[in-house]
Amino acid sequence: MSEQGARCGQEDDWWRQLYGEDGAEGGGGAEGAGGGGAAGDAAQAGAAPAAGAPTGAGPADVGPAEASDTLDERVASVLRTVGPPGWGDRPPPQPTPADAPDRAAPAGDAPPDETPPQPEPDRPAPPDETPTPGPVPPGEPPARRVPSPPPPPSEPIPLKATGPGARPRDVARSAPPPAPAVTYIGDRPPTYEAEPAALPAADPAALDELVPDTALEGAQYGSLTLRAASQRGDSARYRGDVRRDALLTARFGAGRHALILVAVATGRPAVEGAHRAARDACGWIGSAVGRSYTQLAEDIRADRRGDLKAGLQRLTDRSYGKLRARALERGGPPEQYTAALRCLLLPADPDCRTRVFFGVGAGGLFRLRDGAWTDLEPVATDHGTPAPIPAPTRATDAPDRPGPGLPHGPGTAEYPARPEPFLFHAAFARPGDALLLCSAGLAEPLRQEPAFAAHLAERWSTPEPPGLVPFLATAQLRAKGHAKDRTAVAVWEA
């Protein structure tokens, strides 16, 4: 047997080991090695092999090779055996001249232990790619994997709100809107705007006489809670006039013996310097009460109303006497440099619930009990008289001299000390009551507008006294035809 025949036998034996055909089709290893079988007989019979084909034949079912023994042909043969049906019917691509140097050597020249390349096992495709059905046939470019479209965006995860007042969004949306705040009473709004429009004119040499648009005050002592507010009226805010209402809150003493004074004064309308007269009236009555607060507090606790009325009337007359003297200093008529004055005396002692009112001029005094208003305006018992000068009680005592600026001498008695009757009222407060002292700007709509009075009663009949801001918002409720300055002082009893 020639060397070529032996080489073909070795090749046949290698293919049997690769395909597992040893002993399956009647061929043995010895036959392959010795060149036996049909292929060996054909070679001995002088059958000419195909040009360019290796001598010898493989297994009986393979037959002579139809193309050159290249690497592509071997891979195609392996795919026909282990691949899906139909892959073996595709002829391998013909090599191009550029691929000629890469042509594989004959199988006889390969080392016996060299193994042809095996196809890679199928890998699971990633979630965003389309999986391929299997290995790509030889000679064809791999199929391009088209990424799947991105999934639709998911709904945002609602975050749970934390902190005070937090609540789910859907609950907040479904809650009914708050009722609109009541800003005025009547069929139509007032003529003027609700907010300030113009500032009062200022004097560069007297900037300390400027008066703010709104004043707010509050306190709590023992069983009482105090709220006070004073603001310009709609007319003054529109015209740029100064606020003619003055408010004074003062505490004299400390502890259970302390006495609280609240004074409200209103200057004459359309009079130059009316706001100064109101401020002077509050300041002078405050100074007089402060010098006598110890005796006044004892009289209130002992309920000596007669002594209280006489003493407070004397202090009031002296204050109006000072207003008269100031008018003479300015060269104006005393009847114009004056003001309506209303005051409250409130003991800080929690065991004393007597509240004392005194004053002169227009305004209001009301009590709110069980949701209903009661007008406590006292009946005038006297009329304007000159300020009395008390007689000396001892030989060494001298009669009271007029204070600084207080007129004396001829001509002073022709002007009354106060233009209107003196008013006095002492009331006992019960828990839950609210006492309201106010200027004429608030007293008039409270008496003339039932809806106005009902709204204030509803807002101030709460178990707890309102704060400063809610109190101011209620006190500035507007009503058509009532555009004056407005001052309110309310005392709640616990």
Side-chain angles (χ1 to χ4, degrees), residues 366-390:
F366 304 90
R367 181 182 61 201
L368 179 61
R369 176 179 293 176
D370 299 330
W373 290 106
T374 301
D375 195 338
L376 300 180
E377 186 74 9
V379 179
T381 57
D382 65 344
H383 297 278
T385 57
I389 299 178

Side-chain angles (χ1 to χ4, degrees), residues 50 80 115 134 150 159 180 230 242 294 323 355 385 394 401 408 420 428 440 472 476 480:
R80 282 194 299 269
T115 306
L159 300 179
S230 179
V242 68
T294 302
L323 285 176
R355 311 299 181 230
T385 57
R394 294 190 303 268
R401 292 184 178 273
H408 58 280
E420 298 182 50
F428 181 81
L472 175 62
Q476 63 186 2
K480 189 172 180 61

Side-chain angles (χ1 to χ4, degrees), residues 30-178:
E31 295 177 3
D41 297 341
Q44 294 180 1
T55 308
D61 60 338
V62 175
E66 298 179 357
S68 58
D69 188 12
T70 63
L71 180 61
D72 295 337
E73 182 181 1
R74 295 185 180 185
V75 172
S77 176
V78 172
L79 293 177
R80 282 194 299 269
T81 304
V82 300
W87 278 35
D89 299 338
R90 305 182 66 175
Q94 297 297 329
T96 59
D99 299 335
D102 298 336
R103 183 173 300 176
D109 299 336
D113 56 346
E114 184 177 355
T115 306
Q118 299 293 333
E120 296 183 0
D122 295 340
R123 296 181 180 179
D128 57 344
E129 297 182 358
T130 304
T132 55
V136 181
E140 291 189 3
R144 185 176 181 180
R145 296 180 179 180
V146 180
S148 59
S154 59
E155 294 294 332
I157 301 176
L159 300 179
K160 184 177 180 180
T162 59
R167 58 180 181 179
R169 182 179 300 178
D170 54 347
V171 176
R173 289 180 178 176
S174 61

Side-chain angles (χ1 to χ4, degrees), residues 458-476:
E458 178 184 0
R459 300 291 295 177
W460 289 345
S461 295
T462 55
E464 296 294 332
L468 290 178
V469 175
F471 175 76
L472 175 62
T474 304
Q476 63 186 2

Side-chain angles (χ1 to χ4, degrees), residues 11-451:
E11 181 180 355
D12 294 342
D13 183 53
W14 184 86
W15 280 103
R16 291 189 187 96
Q17 294 178 5
L18 177 63
Y19 294 127
E21 297 178 357
D22 190 10
E25 297 182 5
E31 295 177 3
D41 297 341
Q44 294 180 1
T55 308
D61 60 338
V62 175
E66 298 179 357
S68 58
D69 188 12
T70 63
L71 180 61
D72 295 337
E73 182 181 1
R74 295 185 180 185
V75 172
S77 176
V78 172
L79 293 177
R80 282 194 299 269
T81 304
V82 300
W87 278 35
D89 299 338
R90 305 182 66 175
Q94 297 297 329
T96 59
D99 299 335
D102 298 336
R103 183 173 300 176
D109 299 336
D113 56 346
E114 184 177 355
T115 306
Q118 299 293 333
E120 296 183 0
D122 295 340
R123 296 181 180 179
D128 57 344
E129 297 182 358
T130 304
T132 55
V136 181
E140 291 189 3
R144 185 176 181 180
R145 296 180 179 180
V146 180
S148 59
S154 59
E155 294 294 332
I157 301 176
L159 300 179
K160 184 177 180 180
T162 59
R167 58 180 181 179
R169 182 179 300 178
D170 54 347
V171 176
R173 289 180 178 176
S174 61
V182 178
T183 58
Y184 66 90
I185 294 297
D187 299 335
R188 46 183 181 164
T191 304
Y192 301 103
E193 296 292 335
E195 300 300 330
L199 291 172
D203 184 1
L207 294 180
D208 57 339
E209 295 187 359
L210 292 177
V211 180
D213 176 88
T214 304
L216 198 60
E217 189 61 273
Q220 183 175 0
Y221 286 93
S223 61
L224 64 87
T225 300
L226 173 67
R227 297 288 183 263
S230 179
Q231 71 169 19
R232 278 196 300 170
D234 294 345
S235 177
R237 285 179 167 182
Y238 176 78
R239 302 176 186 277
D241 296 336
V242 68
R243 174 166 53 92
R244 294 182 294 107
D245 276 10
L247 172 66
L248 172 68
T249 55
R251 174 182 60 87
F252 304 105
R256 299 173 62 93
H257 301 285
L259 184 64
I260 301 169
L261 167 69
V262 184
V264 176
T266 304
R268 289 288 181 89
V271 174
E272 183 179 0
H275 65 286
R276 300 189 191 97
R279 184 180 60 183
D280 289 344
C282 289
W284 285 330
I285 194 64
S287 299
V289 171
R291 288 190 294 265
S292 307
Y293 83 92
T294 302
Q295 184 63 42
L296 291 173
E298 291 179 1
D299 291 342
I300 293 175
R301 283 194 294 268
D303 199 19
R304 292 192 286 263
R305 302 190 180 189
D307 295 342
L308 283 171
K309 181 179 179 180
L312 293 174
Q313 181 175 351
R314 183 171 63 252
L315 297 179
T316 303
D317 289 342
R318 289 179 180 177
S319 299
Y320 273 96
K322 292 183 179 182
L323 285 176
R324 179 180 57 180
R326 180 61 58 87
L328 294 176
E329 290 178 359
R330 293 178 177 272
E335 63 272 10
Q336 291 188 1
Y337 196 82
T338 187
L341 179 65
R342 290 179 165 253
C343 304
L344 271 180
L345 290 178
L346 309 170
D349 188 354
D351 297 331
C352 180
R353 290 184 176 270
T354 302
R355 311 299 181 230
V356 176
F357 159 79
F358 67 97
V360 173
L365 179 66
F366 304 90
R367 181 182 61 201
L368 179 61
R369 176 179 293 176
D370 299 330
W373 290 106
T374 301
D375 195 338
L376 300 180
E377 186 74 9
V379 179
T381 57
D382 65 344
H383 297 278
T385 57
I389 299 178
T393 57
R394 294 190 303 268
T396 57
D397 291 343
D400 292 346
R401 292 184 178 273
L406 186 64
H408 58 280
T412 59
E414 58 181 318
Y415 299 106
R418 42 187 164 81
E420 298 182 50
F422 176 77
L423 305 175
F424 176 86
H425 181 76
F428 181 81
R430 298 191 318 192
D433 288 354
L435 191 64
L436 176 63
L437 174 71
C438 56
S439 63
L442 184 63
E444 291 175 359
L446 198 59
R447 292 188 176 110
Q448 300 171 11
E449 303 290 342

